[in-house]
Amino acid sequence: MQKPARVRILDAAHELILTIGLARATTKEIAKAAGCSEAALYKYFASKEDLFVTVLKERLPGLNPLLSRLAEDPGERSVEENLTEIAREAALFYAQSFPIAASLYAEPKLKQRHDAALREMGRGPHMPIRGLDAYLRAEQAAGRISPEADTYAAASLLLGACAQRAFAYDMTEDGKPPQPVEEFAAGLARTLLRGIG
């Protein structure tokens, strides 16, 4: 049984963006790979940017939903446990999204169009920082982190470390990070919490 058209389009877009880059993954190529017409693609997605954002939301680790959920209700777990989960999801998200987004930087006009479309949709790479800042402010209000902590700086540090991990190890001898993602996330959360706890 064939998958629904929307699923096939997302699968094709994800695969093509990973293999040939966002710039070269045209809607025509995506539709062809999905086994449908370009008109069918536009039935489900308003634009290539909309399709790209949907690929990020539905095919990559769910960083923004996690941050939104924790900002609304930090839950019963400790701050360290929450930060560890956030760091793990962020490291996985950036590891998978960097190769997808990298081709944008090779074509300035495409990047400008893409950035404008993301702004119009209220999306972009700044959103996880805002989401983590909101979560940390909720923890601050609950008295679980220091009232003096700079929550935006802490969010930037944690997510910046996760983003750095995504591409920093490509050039090492074995092309791998020095520690598994779970160990990295736990250490990062523990270290950050020492500064803001």
Side-chain angles (χ1 to χ4, degrees), residues 18-58:
L18 282 174
T19 56
I20 66 172
L22 183 62
R24 292 180 42 216
T26 64
T27 54
K28 186 175 186 173
E29 288 293 322
I30 293 166
K32 181 180 173 185
C36 66
S37 68
E38 200 170 358
L41 183 147
Y42 284 109
K43 178 181 171 188
Y44 299 99
F45 305 99
S47 64
K48 183 177 170 180
E49 289 76 20
D50 180 36
L51 178 55
F52 172 70
V53 168
T54 305
V55 166
L56 291 179
K57 281 171 41 181
E58 295 186 19

PDB file of all heavy atoms in Angstrom, residues 18-58:
ATOM      1  N   LEU A  18      18.820  16.392   2.327  1.00  0.00           N
ATOM      2  CA  LEU A  18      20.023  15.801   2.925  1.00  0.00           C
ATOM      3  C   LEU A  18      21.073  15.436   1.883  1.00  0.00           C
ATOM      4  O   LEU A  18      22.270  15.582   2.124  1.00  0.00           O
ATOM      5  CB  LEU A  18      19.661  14.541   3.722  1.00  0.00           C
ATOM      6  CG  LEU A  18      19.049  14.747   5.093  1.00  0.00           C
ATOM      7  CD1 LEU A  18      18.606  13.416   5.681  1.00  0.00           C
ATOM      8  CD2 LEU A  18      20.029  15.439   6.035  1.00  0.00           C
ATOM      9  N   THR A  19      20.654  14.946   0.729  1.00  0.00           N
ATOM     10  CA  THR A  19      21.614  14.433  -0.249  1.00  0.00           C
ATOM     11  C   THR A  19      22.119  15.470  -1.235  1.00  0.00           C
ATOM     12  O   THR A  19      23.299  15.451  -1.588  1.00  0.00           O
ATOM     13  CB  THR A  19      21.023  13.235  -1.027  1.00  0.00           C
ATOM     14  OG1 THR A  19      19.795  13.630  -1.646  1.00  0.00           O
ATOM     15  CG2 THR A  19      20.780  12.057  -0.099  1.00  0.00           C
ATOM     16  N   ILE A  20      21.239  16.384  -1.691  1.00  0.00           N
ATOM     17  CA  ILE A  20      21.709  17.362  -2.678  1.00  0.00           C
ATOM     18  C   ILE A  20      21.656  18.796  -2.163  1.00  0.00           C
ATOM     19  O   ILE A  20      22.104  19.713  -2.830  1.00  0.00           O
ATOM     20  CB  ILE A  20      20.940  17.248  -4.017  1.00  0.00           C
ATOM     21  CG1 ILE A  20      19.463  17.624  -3.863  1.00  0.00           C
ATOM     22  CG2 ILE A  20      21.109  15.860  -4.613  1.00  0.00           C
ATOM     23  CD1 ILE A  20      18.695  17.715  -5.177  1.00  0.00           C
ATOM     24  N   GLY A  21      21.103  18.999  -0.968  1.00  0.00           N
ATOM     25  CA  GLY A  21      21.057  20.337  -0.375  1.00  0.00           C
ATOM     26  C   GLY A  21      19.757  21.054  -0.668  1.00  0.00           C
ATOM     27  O   GLY A  21      19.070  20.773  -1.660  1.00  0.00           O
ATOM     28  N   LEU A  22      19.420  21.973   0.206  1.00  0.00           N
ATOM     29  CA  LEU A  22      18.171  22.720   0.095  1.00  0.00           C
ATOM     30  C   LEU A  22      18.123  23.538  -1.188  1.00  0.00           C
ATOM     31  O   LEU A  22      17.089  23.616  -1.847  1.00  0.00           O
ATOM     32  CB  LEU A  22      17.997  23.626   1.316  1.00  0.00           C
ATOM     33  CG  LEU A  22      16.713  24.428   1.391  1.00  0.00           C
ATOM     34  CD1 LEU A  22      15.499  23.504   1.460  1.00  0.00           C
ATOM     35  CD2 LEU A  22      16.724  25.345   2.593  1.00  0.00           C
ATOM     36  N   ALA A  23      19.226  24.139  -1.567  1.00  0.00           N
ATOM     37  CA  ALA A  23      19.255  24.996  -2.752  1.00  0.00           C
ATOM     38  C   ALA A  23      18.903  24.213  -4.015  1.00  0.00           C
ATOM     39  O   ALA A  23      18.177  24.705  -4.878  1.00  0.00           O
ATOM     40  CB  ALA A  23      20.621  25.646  -2.895  1.00  0.00           C
ATOM     41  N   ARG A  24      19.396  22.998  -4.141  1.00  0.00           N
ATOM     42  CA  ARG A  24      19.184  22.209  -5.353  1.00  0.00           C
ATOM     43  C   ARG A  24      17.927  21.341  -5.295  1.00  0.00           C
ATOM     44  O   ARG A  24      17.517  20.788  -6.306  1.00  0.00           O
ATOM     45  CB  ARG A  24      20.412  21.350  -5.629  1.00  0.00           C
ATOM     46  CG  ARG A  24      21.598  22.234  -6.020  1.00  0.00           C
ATOM     47  CD  ARG A  24      22.877  21.499  -6.317  1.00  0.00           C
ATOM     48  NE  ARG A  24      22.702  20.295  -7.096  1.00  0.00           N
ATOM     49  CZ  ARG A  24      23.415  19.201  -6.916  1.00  0.00           C
ATOM     50  NH1 ARG A  24      24.362  19.172  -5.999  1.00  0.00           N
ATOM     51  NH2 ARG A  24      23.227  18.139  -7.659  1.00  0.00           N
ATOM     52  N   ALA A  25      17.336  21.217  -4.134  1.00  0.00           N
ATOM     53  CA  ALA A  25      16.105  20.418  -3.987  1.00  0.00           C
ATOM     54  C   ALA A  25      14.914  21.283  -4.379  1.00  0.00           C
ATOM     55  O   ALA A  25      14.261  21.888  -3.540  1.00  0.00           O
ATOM     56  CB  ALA A  25      15.968  19.900  -2.562  1.00  0.00           C
ATOM     57  N   THR A  26      14.625  21.329  -5.662  1.00  0.00           N
ATOM     58  CA  THR A  26      13.507  22.147  -6.141  1.00  0.00           C
ATOM     59  C   THR A  26      12.185  21.438  -5.858  1.00  0.00           C
ATOM     60  O   THR A  26      12.147  20.221  -5.664  1.00  0.00           O
ATOM     61  CB  THR A  26      13.631  22.397  -7.663  1.00  0.00           C
ATOM     62  OG1 THR A  26      13.530  21.133  -8.332  1.00  0.00           O
ATOM     63  CG2 THR A  26      14.958  23.070  -8.003  1.00  0.00           C
ATOM     64  N   THR A  27      11.119  22.200  -5.891  1.00  0.00           N
ATOM     65  CA  THR A  27       9.803  21.587  -5.691  1.00  0.00           C
ATOM     66  C   THR A  27       9.512  20.590  -6.810  1.00  0.00           C
ATOM     67  O   THR A  27       8.857  19.567  -6.587  1.00  0.00           O
ATOM     68  CB  THR A  27       8.691  22.645  -5.606  1.00  0.00           C
ATOM     69  OG1 THR A  27       8.754  23.494  -6.752  1.00  0.00           O
ATOM     70  CG2 THR A  27       8.819  23.461  -4.334  1.00  0.00           C
ATOM     71  N   LYS A  28      10.001  20.860  -8.009  1.00  0.00           N
ATOM     72  CA  LYS A  28       9.820  19.936  -9.135  1.00  0.00           C
ATOM     73  C   LYS A  28      10.526  18.608  -8.862  1.00  0.00           C
ATOM     74  O   LYS A  28       9.957  17.533  -9.072  1.00  0.00           O
ATOM     75  CB  LYS A  28      10.361  20.578 -10.418  1.00  0.00           C
ATOM     76  CG  LYS A  28      10.101  19.788 -11.662  1.00  0.00           C
ATOM     77  CD  LYS A  28      10.567  20.573 -12.882  1.00  0.00           C
ATOM     78  CE  LYS A  28      10.177  19.840 -14.147  1.00  0.00           C
ATOM     79  NZ  LYS A  28      10.467  20.642 -15.339  1.00  0.00           N
ATOM     80  N   GLU A  29      11.778  18.672  -8.365  1.00  0.00           N
ATOM     81  CA  GLU A  29      12.543  17.459  -8.035  1.00  0.00           C
ATOM     82  C   GLU A  29      11.893  16.694  -6.879  1.00  0.00           C
ATOM     83  O   GLU A  29      11.827  15.470  -6.887  1.00  0.00           O
ATOM     84  CB  GLU A  29      13.989  17.818  -7.665  1.00  0.00           C
ATOM     85  CG  GLU A  29      14.846  18.248  -8.827  1.00  0.00           C
ATOM     86  CD  GLU A  29      15.107  17.120  -9.810  1.00  0.00           C
ATOM     87  OE1 GLU A  29      15.299  15.960  -9.374  1.00  0.00           O
ATOM     88  OE2 GLU A  29      15.100  17.402 -11.012  1.00  0.00           O
ATOM     89  N   ILE A  30      11.420  17.427  -5.901  1.00  0.00           N
ATOM     90  CA  ILE A  30      10.772  16.795  -4.744  1.00  0.00           C
ATOM     91  C   ILE A  30       9.504  16.075  -5.184  1.00  0.00           C
ATOM     92  O   ILE A  30       9.267  14.921  -4.815  1.00  0.00           O
ATOM     93  CB  ILE A  30      10.492  17.837  -3.633  1.00  0.00           C
ATOM     94  CG1 ILE A  30      11.819  18.347  -3.039  1.00  0.00           C
ATOM     95  CG2 ILE A  30       9.605  17.237  -2.543  1.00  0.00           C
ATOM     96  CD1 ILE A  30      11.679  19.597  -2.178  1.00  0.00           C
ATOM     97  N   ALA A  31       8.679  16.746  -5.986  1.00  0.00           N
ATOM     98  CA  ALA A  31       7.442  16.134  -6.473  1.00  0.00           C
ATOM     99  C   ALA A  31       7.747  14.880  -7.295  1.00  0.00           C
ATOM    100  O   ALA A  31       7.092  13.843  -7.119  1.00  0.00           O
ATOM    101  CB  ALA A  31       6.645  17.137  -7.308  1.00  0.00           C
ATOM    102  N   LYS A  32       8.735  14.968  -8.150  1.00  0.00           N
ATOM    103  CA  LYS A  32       9.119  13.806  -8.971  1.00  0.00           C
ATOM    104  C   LYS A  32       9.541  12.635  -8.075  1.00  0.00           C
ATOM    105  O   LYS A  32       9.102  11.498  -8.280  1.00  0.00           O
ATOM    106  CB  LYS A  32      10.266  14.209  -9.905  1.00  0.00           C
ATOM    107  CG  LYS A  32      10.729  13.114 -10.814  1.00  0.00           C
ATOM    108  CD  LYS A  32      11.866  13.612 -11.707  1.00  0.00           C
ATOM    109  CE  LYS A  32      12.455  12.471 -12.512  1.00  0.00           C
ATOM    110  NZ  LYS A  32      13.624  12.908 -13.286  1.00  0.00           N
ATOM    111  N   ALA A  33      10.381  12.909  -7.081  1.00  0.00           N
ATOM    112  CA  ALA A  33      10.840  11.853  -6.174  1.00  0.00           C
ATOM    113  C   ALA A  33       9.690  11.274  -5.346  1.00  0.00           C
ATOM    114  O   ALA A  33       9.712  10.104  -4.967  1.00  0.00           O
ATOM    115  CB  ALA A  33      11.938  12.392  -5.254  1.00  0.00           C
ATOM    116  N   ALA A  34       8.669  12.089  -5.086  1.00  0.00           N
ATOM    117  CA  ALA A  34       7.512  11.647  -4.303  1.00  0.00           C
ATOM    118  C   ALA A  34       6.481  10.917  -5.160  1.00  0.00           C
ATOM    119  O   ALA A  34       5.532  10.352  -4.632  1.00  0.00           O
ATOM    120  CB  ALA A  34       6.862  12.842  -3.614  1.00  0.00           C
ATOM    121  N   GLY A  35       6.689  10.967  -6.470  1.00  0.00           N
ATOM    122  CA  GLY A  35       5.745  10.303  -7.366  1.00  0.00           C
ATOM    123  C   GLY A  35       4.431  11.037  -7.490  1.00  0.00           C
ATOM    124  O   GLY A  35       3.368  10.431  -7.591  1.00  0.00           O
ATOM    125  N   CYS A  36       4.518  12.371  -7.481  1.00  0.00           N
ATOM    126  CA  CYS A  36       3.297  13.173  -7.635  1.00  0.00           C
ATOM    127  C   CYS A  36       3.618  14.406  -8.469  1.00  0.00           C
ATOM    128  O   CYS A  36       4.766  14.658  -8.811  1.00  0.00           O
ATOM    129  CB  CYS A  36       2.724  13.563  -6.274  1.00  0.00           C
ATOM    130  SG  CYS A  36       3.749  14.672  -5.313  1.00  0.00           S
ATOM    131  N   SER A  37       2.605  15.172  -8.768  1.00  0.00           N
ATOM    132  CA  SER A  37       2.816  16.399  -9.539  1.00  0.00           C
ATOM    133  C   SER A  37       3.257  17.533  -8.616  1.00  0.00           C
ATOM    134  O   SER A  37       3.033  17.488  -7.401  1.00  0.00           O
ATOM    135  CB  SER A  37       1.525  16.794 -10.258  1.00  0.00           C
ATOM    136  OG  SER A  37       0.555  17.195  -9.307  1.00  0.00           O
ATOM    137  N   GLU A  38       3.833  18.546  -9.238  1.00  0.00           N
ATOM    138  CA  GLU A  38       4.212  19.732  -8.461  1.00  0.00           C
ATOM    139  C   GLU A  38       2.962  20.416  -7.905  1.00  0.00           C
ATOM    140  O   GLU A  38       2.973  20.943  -6.793  1.00  0.00           O
ATOM    141  CB  GLU A  38       5.022  20.690  -9.343  1.00  0.00           C
ATOM    142  CG  GLU A  38       5.851  21.667  -8.571  1.00  0.00           C
ATOM    143  CD  GLU A  38       6.825  22.448  -9.455  1.00  0.00           C
ATOM    144  OE1 GLU A  38       6.893  22.211 -10.670  1.00  0.00           O
ATOM    145  OE2 GLU A  38       7.513  23.316  -8.891  1.00  0.00           O
ATOM    146  N   ALA A  39       1.862  20.359  -8.660  1.00  0.00           N
ATOM    147  CA  ALA A  39       0.588  20.932  -8.180  1.00  0.00           C
ATOM    148  C   ALA A  39       0.122  20.214  -6.918  1.00  0.00           C
ATOM    149  O   ALA A  39      -0.388  20.851  -5.992  1.00  0.00           O
ATOM    150  CB  ALA A  39      -0.468  20.838  -9.266  1.00  0.00           C
ATOM    151  N   ALA A  40       0.332  18.896  -6.852  1.00  0.00           N
ATOM    152  CA  ALA A  40      -0.052  18.140  -5.651  1.00  0.00           C
ATOM    153  C   ALA A  40       0.783  18.583  -4.452  1.00  0.00           C
ATOM    154  O   ALA A  40       0.273  18.670  -3.330  1.00  0.00           O
ATOM    155  CB  ALA A  40       0.117  16.644  -5.890  1.00  0.00           C
ATOM    156  N   LEU A  41       2.048  18.862  -4.687  1.00  0.00           N
ATOM    157  CA  LEU A  41       2.924  19.343  -3.605  1.00  0.00           C
ATOM    158  C   LEU A  41       2.349  20.637  -3.013  1.00  0.00           C
ATOM    159  O   LEU A  41       2.260  20.786  -1.793  1.00  0.00           O
ATOM    160  CB  LEU A  41       4.343  19.568  -4.139  1.00  0.00           C
ATOM    161  CG  LEU A  41       5.393  20.002  -3.133  1.00  0.00           C
ATOM    162  CD1 LEU A  41       6.765  19.431  -3.519  1.00  0.00           C
ATOM    163  CD2 LEU A  41       5.501  21.506  -3.041  1.00  0.00           C
ATOM    164  N   TYR A  42       1.917  21.542  -3.909  1.00  0.00           N
ATOM    165  CA  TYR A  42       1.387  22.826  -3.432  1.00  0.00           C
ATOM    166  C   TYR A  42      -0.004  22.695  -2.809  1.00  0.00           C
ATOM    167  O   TYR A  42      -0.484  23.624  -2.163  1.00  0.00           O
ATOM    168  CB  TYR A  42       1.397  23.868  -4.559  1.00  0.00           C
ATOM    169  CG  TYR A  42       2.796  24.383  -4.812  1.00  0.00           C
ATOM    170  CD1 TYR A  42       3.487  24.051  -5.970  1.00  0.00           C
ATOM    171  CD2 TYR A  42       3.435  25.182  -3.869  1.00  0.00           C
ATOM    172  CE1 TYR A  42       4.777  24.519  -6.187  1.00  0.00           C
ATOM    173  CE2 TYR A  42       4.721  25.656  -4.074  1.00  0.00           C
ATOM    174  CZ  TYR A  42       5.382  25.319  -5.238  1.00  0.00           C
ATOM    175  OH  TYR A  42       6.664  25.782  -5.434  1.00  0.00           O
ATOM    176  N   LYS A  43      -0.622  21.553  -2.970  1.00  0.00           N
ATOM    177  CA  LYS A  43      -1.891  21.300  -2.281  1.00  0.00           C
ATOM    178  C   LYS A  43      -1.649  21.179  -0.772  1.00  0.00           C
ATOM    179  O   LYS A  43      -2.494  21.554   0.043  1.00  0.00           O
ATOM    180  CB  LYS A  43      -2.518  20.013  -2.819  1.00  0.00           C
ATOM    181  CG  LYS A  43      -3.800  19.609  -2.155  1.00  0.00           C
ATOM    182  CD  LYS A  43      -4.329  18.308  -2.740  1.00  0.00           C
ATOM    183  CE  LYS A  43      -5.495  17.798  -1.930  1.00  0.00           C
ATOM    184  NZ  LYS A  43      -5.897  16.463  -2.346  1.00  0.00           N
ATOM    185  N   TYR A  44      -0.485  20.664  -0.407  1.00  0.00           N
ATOM    186  CA  TYR A  44      -0.156  20.423   1.008  1.00  0.00           C
ATOM    187  C   TYR A  44       0.763  21.489   1.614  1.00  0.00           C
ATOM    188  O   TYR A  44       0.739  21.691   2.828  1.00  0.00           O
ATOM    189  CB  TYR A  44       0.514  19.055   1.162  1.00  0.00           C
ATOM    190  CG  TYR A  44      -0.369  17.920   0.735  1.00  0.00           C
ATOM    191  CD1 TYR A  44      -0.222  17.342  -0.517  1.00  0.00           C
ATOM    192  CD2 TYR A  44      -1.381  17.449   1.573  1.00  0.00           C
ATOM    193  CE1 TYR A  44      -1.048  16.300  -0.919  1.00  0.00           C
ATOM    194  CE2 TYR A  44      -2.211  16.412   1.175  1.00  0.00           C
ATOM    195  CZ  TYR A  44      -2.039  15.850  -0.075  1.00  0.00           C
ATOM    196  OH  TYR A  44      -2.855  14.828  -0.469  1.00  0.00           O
ATOM    197  N   PHE A  45       1.572  22.135   0.783  1.00  0.00           N
ATOM    198  CA  PHE A  45       2.557  23.093   1.284  1.00  0.00           C
ATOM    199  C   PHE A  45       2.491  24.377   0.469  1.00  0.00           C
ATOM    200  O   PHE A  45       2.520  24.347  -0.757  1.00  0.00           O
ATOM    201  CB  PHE A  45       3.969  22.490   1.220  1.00  0.00           C
ATOM    202  CG  PHE A  45       4.053  21.175   1.951  1.00  0.00           C
ATOM    203  CD1 PHE A  45       3.980  19.976   1.272  1.00  0.00           C
ATOM    204  CD2 PHE A  45       4.168  21.153   3.336  1.00  0.00           C
ATOM    205  CE1 PHE A  45       4.019  18.768   1.946  1.00  0.00           C
ATOM    206  CE2 PHE A  45       4.214  19.942   4.021  1.00  0.00           C
ATOM    207  CZ  PHE A  45       4.138  18.748   3.314  1.00  0.00           C
ATOM    208  N   ALA A  46       2.402  25.509   1.166  1.00  0.00           N
ATOM    209  CA  ALA A  46       2.240  26.804   0.502  1.00  0.00           C
ATOM    210  C   ALA A  46       3.473  27.222  -0.292  1.00  0.00           C
ATOM    211  O   ALA A  46       3.367  27.948  -1.283  1.00  0.00           O
ATOM    212  CB  ALA A  46       1.901  27.874   1.536  1.00  0.00           C
ATOM    213  N   SER A  47       4.649  26.772   0.144  1.00  0.00           N
ATOM    214  CA  SER A  47       5.891  27.182  -0.502  1.00  0.00           C
ATOM    215  C   SER A  47       6.983  26.177  -0.160  1.00  0.00           C
ATOM    216  O   SER A  47       6.800  25.312   0.703  1.00  0.00           O
ATOM    217  CB  SER A  47       6.313  28.573   0.005  1.00  0.00           C
ATOM    218  OG  SER A  47       6.607  28.504   1.396  1.00  0.00           O
ATOM    219  N   LYS A  48       8.116  26.337  -0.807  1.00  0.00           N
ATOM    220  CA  LYS A  48       9.271  25.490  -0.487  1.00  0.00           C
ATOM    221  C   LYS A  48       9.704  25.716   0.955  1.00  0.00           C
ATOM    222  O   LYS A  48      10.080  24.779   1.661  1.00  0.00           O
ATOM    223  CB  LYS A  48      10.418  25.783  -1.453  1.00  0.00           C
ATOM    224  CG  LYS A  48      11.635  24.911  -1.252  1.00  0.00           C
ATOM    225  CD  LYS A  48      12.691  25.224  -2.304  1.00  0.00           C
ATOM    226  CE  LYS A  48      13.998  24.551  -1.997  1.00  0.00           C
ATOM    227  NZ  LYS A  48      15.011  24.845  -3.012  1.00  0.00           N
ATOM    228  N   GLU A  49       9.620  26.960   1.408  1.00  0.00           N
ATOM    229  CA  GLU A  49       9.990  27.267   2.794  1.00  0.00           C
ATOM    230  C   GLU A  49       9.049  26.584   3.780  1.00  0.00           C
ATOM    231  O   GLU A  49       9.479  26.070   4.811  1.00  0.00           O
ATOM    232  CB  GLU A  49      10.017  28.785   3.027  1.00  0.00           C
ATOM    233  CG  GLU A  49      11.166  29.495   2.354  1.00  0.00           C
ATOM    234  CD  GLU A  49      10.999  29.672   0.841  1.00  0.00           C
ATOM    235  OE1 GLU A  49       9.859  29.596   0.348  1.00  0.00           O
ATOM    236  OE2 GLU A  49      12.016  29.863   0.152  1.00  0.00           O
ATOM    237  N   ASP A  50       7.763  26.588   3.452  1.00  0.00           N
ATOM    238  CA  ASP A  50       6.783  25.899   4.296  1.00  0.00           C
ATOM    239  C   ASP A  50       7.109  24.405   4.367  1.00  0.00           C
ATOM    240  O   ASP A  50       7.069  23.799   5.436  1.00  0.00           O
ATOM    241  CB  ASP A  50       5.377  26.122   3.736  1.00  0.00           C
ATOM    242  CG  ASP A  50       4.292  25.450   4.557  1.00  0.00           C
ATOM    243  OD1 ASP A  50       4.411  25.411   5.800  1.00  0.00           O
ATOM    244  OD2 ASP A  50       3.309  24.988   3.952  1.00  0.00           O
ATOM    245  N   LEU A  51       7.472  23.831   3.238  1.00  0.00           N
ATOM    246  CA  LEU A  51       7.864  22.424   3.200  1.00  0.00           C
ATOM    247  C   LEU A  51       9.120  22.187   4.034  1.00  0.00           C
ATOM    248  O   LEU A  51       9.195  21.234   4.813  1.00  0.00           O
ATOM    249  CB  LEU A  51       8.082  21.988   1.748  1.00  0.00           C
ATOM    250  CG  LEU A  51       8.544  20.559   1.493  1.00  0.00           C
ATOM    251  CD1 LEU A  51       7.605  19.541   2.126  1.00  0.00           C
ATOM    252  CD2 LEU A  51       8.665  20.321  -0.008  1.00  0.00           C
ATOM    253  N   PHE A  52      10.096  23.079   3.920  1.00  0.00           N
ATOM    254  CA  PHE A  52      11.337  22.961   4.691  1.00  0.00           C
ATOM    255  C   PHE A  52      11.053  23.004   6.192  1.00  0.00           C
ATOM    256  O   PHE A  52      11.541  22.169   6.950  1.00  0.00           O
ATOM    257  CB  PHE A  52      12.302  24.092   4.294  1.00  0.00           C
ATOM    258  CG  PHE A  52      13.532  24.192   5.147  1.00  0.00           C
ATOM    259  CD1 PHE A  52      14.521  23.223   5.084  1.00  0.00           C
ATOM    260  CD2 PHE A  52      13.719  25.261   6.006  1.00  0.00           C
ATOM    261  CE1 PHE A  52      15.661  23.311   5.866  1.00  0.00           C
ATOM    262  CE2 PHE A  52      14.853  25.358   6.787  1.00  0.00           C
ATOM    263  CZ  PHE A  52      15.822  24.376   6.712  1.00  0.00           C
ATOM    264  N   VAL A  53      10.233  23.953   6.625  1.00  0.00           N
ATOM    265  CA  VAL A  53       9.889  24.071   8.042  1.00  0.00           C
ATOM    266  C   VAL A  53       9.150  22.821   8.515  1.00  0.00           C
ATOM    267  O   VAL A  53       9.403  22.310   9.610  1.00  0.00           O
ATOM    268  CB  VAL A  53       9.052  25.353   8.301  1.00  0.00           C
ATOM    269  CG1 VAL A  53       8.433  25.337   9.687  1.00  0.00           C
ATOM    270  CG2 VAL A  53       9.927  26.591   8.128  1.00  0.00           C
ATOM    271  N   THR A  54       8.280  22.292   7.676  1.00  0.00           N
ATOM    272  CA  THR A  54       7.548  21.081   8.037  1.00  0.00           C
ATOM    273  C   THR A  54       8.487  19.887   8.156  1.00  0.00           C
ATOM    274  O   THR A  54       8.338  19.058   9.063  1.00  0.00           O
ATOM    275  CB  THR A  54       6.418  20.799   7.028  1.00  0.00           C
ATOM    276  OG1 THR A  54       5.581  21.962   6.945  1.00  0.00           O
ATOM    277  CG2 THR A  54       5.580  19.614   7.449  1.00  0.00           C
ATOM    278  N   VAL A  55       9.469  19.798   7.271  1.00  0.00           N
ATOM    279  CA  VAL A  55      10.482  18.732   7.381  1.00  0.00           C
ATOM    280  C   VAL A  55      11.202  18.858   8.724  1.00  0.00           C
ATOM    281  O   VAL A  55      11.368  17.866   9.439  1.00  0.00           O
ATOM    282  CB  VAL A  55      11.487  18.775   6.205  1.00  0.00           C
ATOM    283  CG1 VAL A  55      12.713  17.912   6.499  1.00  0.00           C
ATOM    284  CG2 VAL A  55      10.828  18.313   4.914  1.00  0.00           C
ATOM    285  N   LEU A  56      11.601  20.068   9.082  1.00  0.00           N
ATOM    286  CA  LEU A  56      12.284  20.273  10.364  1.00  0.00           C
ATOM    287  C   LEU A  56      11.386  19.875  11.534  1.00  0.00           C
ATOM    288  O   LEU A  56      11.841  19.228  12.482  1.00  0.00           O
ATOM    289  CB  LEU A  56      12.715  21.735  10.525  1.00  0.00           C
ATOM    290  CG  LEU A  56      13.829  22.233   9.616  1.00  0.00           C
ATOM    291  CD1 LEU A  56      14.103  23.709   9.886  1.00  0.00           C
ATOM    292  CD2 LEU A  56      15.097  21.426   9.764  1.00  0.00           C
ATOM    293  N   LYS A  57      10.108  20.247  11.468  1.00  0.00           N
ATOM    294  CA  LYS A  57       9.182  19.965  12.568  1.00  0.00           C
ATOM    295  C   LYS A  57       8.832  18.488  12.670  1.00  0.00           C
ATOM    296  O   LYS A  57       8.729  17.947  13.760  1.00  0.00           O
ATOM    297  CB  LYS A  57       7.884  20.767  12.381  1.00  0.00           C
ATOM    298  CG  LYS A  57       7.990  22.206  12.784  1.00  0.00           C
ATOM    299  CD  LYS A  57       6.791  23.044  12.405  1.00  0.00           C
ATOM    300  CE  LYS A  57       5.453  22.419  12.592  1.00  0.00           C
ATOM    301  NZ  LYS A  57       4.338  23.275  12.181  1.00  0.00           N
ATOM    302  N   GLU A  58       8.640  17.834  11.542  1.00  0.00           N
ATOM    303  CA  GLU A  58       8.101  16.480  11.562  1.00  0.00           C
ATOM    304  C   GLU A  58       9.130  15.373  11.360  1.00  0.00           C
ATOM    305  O   GLU A  58       8.833  14.214  11.637  1.00  0.00           O
ATOM    306  CB  GLU A  58       6.989  16.345  10.513  1.00  0.00           C
ATOM    307  CG  GLU A  58       5.793  17.227  10.834  1.00  0.00           C
ATOM    308  CD  GLU A  58       4.621  17.015   9.896  1.00  0.00           C
ATOM    309  OE1 GLU A  58       4.556  15.967   9.225  1.00  0.00           O
ATOM    310  OE2 GLU A  58       3.769  17.922   9.839  1.00  0.00           O
TER     311      GLU A  58
END
